[in-house]
Each structure stands twice: as C-alpha cells, then as structure tokens.
Amino acid sequence: MTPEEGDAILRDYFAPWIQDLGLRVEEVGERHAVVRLPWSDALARQGGGLCGQAMMAAADTATVIAISSARGGFVPMTTVQQSTTFQRPVAGKDVLVHVRITKLGRTLAFSDVTLTPDGAADPAAHASTVYAILT
C-alpha cells in the first residue's frame, strides 16, 4: 500500500468529522504506518494545548491505516479497545502518529501507537489498541 492509497482510505471510509482533522498518511509499511495530525487552533483546548480527544481519534484512525497496510488494503474492522496515556502537552506543532502492529491475527489485530510532536524526541502520548477484523 502507498501513502496515497492510505489517504484514499481516509477519504472513502471515515466520517466527515474525522476528515476535518486533516490527517495525512506520511508512510506505510508491512506492519506500520505514520500519520500526521496537523496543528489547528480549532483542536486546541482552553490553555492552548492540543485536545486529547483529537489525539485519541488520530491514534484510532491511524491504526486502521496500519492494519489496512498490513492486510494489503482496507477491510471492515472496528475498535475493540483503546487505552491512551498522555505524557506532555502539545502546542503549535503537528503530531506524528506512529503505529506498529504487534499482532495481526485472522480476527484480531493489536498495535502500539506513539504520538510525537513534529521535531520532538519525546512522545506526547502513547496508546495501545485492539481491533476486530470483520471479514
């Protein structure tokens, strides 16, 4: 799968409010994906930090791209579990969402997700997800 095919999945399979996040697929591979969440004042909470809900939605969405890449294209799937830990605020920077598939089974997929401000060494958040593959 290519980043352009990942962007097509974002356009074709996600709700308008997810599309409004402006996510862009930067990289895809056999068991990983990198998706960019662009900074937007519209996504900032009081105090100027990027809201956690936007980061959680980006992590969830980027996981779909990574699983799709690992499977060779989009298949119907749904989130079973997502656990997110926020480590530091993000203000005024895009966030790179790195997803690594840790187990890809026939009916379940597991991943680790790291959300890092563009140009930073340390992550702002970490998530783990479990997805049910519906086909």
Side-chain angles (χ1 to χ4, degrees):
M1 198 167 94
T2 66
E4 294 77 21
E5 291 169 321
D7 285 335
I9 290 170
L10 291 173
R11 277 192 315 274
D12 296 343
Y13 295 100
F14 286 93
W17 71 272
I18 292 292
Q19 293 177 19
D20 289 346
L21 294 173
L23 299 170
R24 295 188 311 268
V25 178
E26 300 273 313
E27 180 182 322
V28 289
E30 184 179 329
R31 293 175 76 92
H32 79 279
V34 179
V35 174
R36 179 178 296 270
L37 171 61
W39 171 260
S40 168
D41 288 336
L43 300 177
R45 58 178 170 69
Q46 187 174 356
L50 184 62
C51 72
Q53 294 92 334
M55 288 192 282
M56 291 177 74
D60 191 49
T61 304
T63 300
V64 172
I65 300 301
I67 294 169
S68 296
S69 182
R71 301 236 351 172
F74 180 81
V75 295
M77 63 185 90
T78 190
T79 311
V80 173
Q81 182 273 334
Q82 179 174 334
S83 176
T84 307
T85 303
F86 298 97
Q87 300 171 358
R88 60 187 41 82
V90 177
K93 293 186 178 238
D94 291 359
V95 174
L96 296 175
V97 183
H98 295 261
V99 181
R100 183 176 56 87
I101 304 299
T102 59
K103 182 178 188 318
L104 181 62
R106 191 173 41 80
T107 60
L108 290 175
F110 298 79
S111 75
D112 280 325
V113 185
T114 304
L115 297 94
T116 306
D118 194 14
D122 295 322
H126 176 265
S128 62
T129 64
V130 181
Y131 266 74
I133 299 168
L134 303 175
T135 59

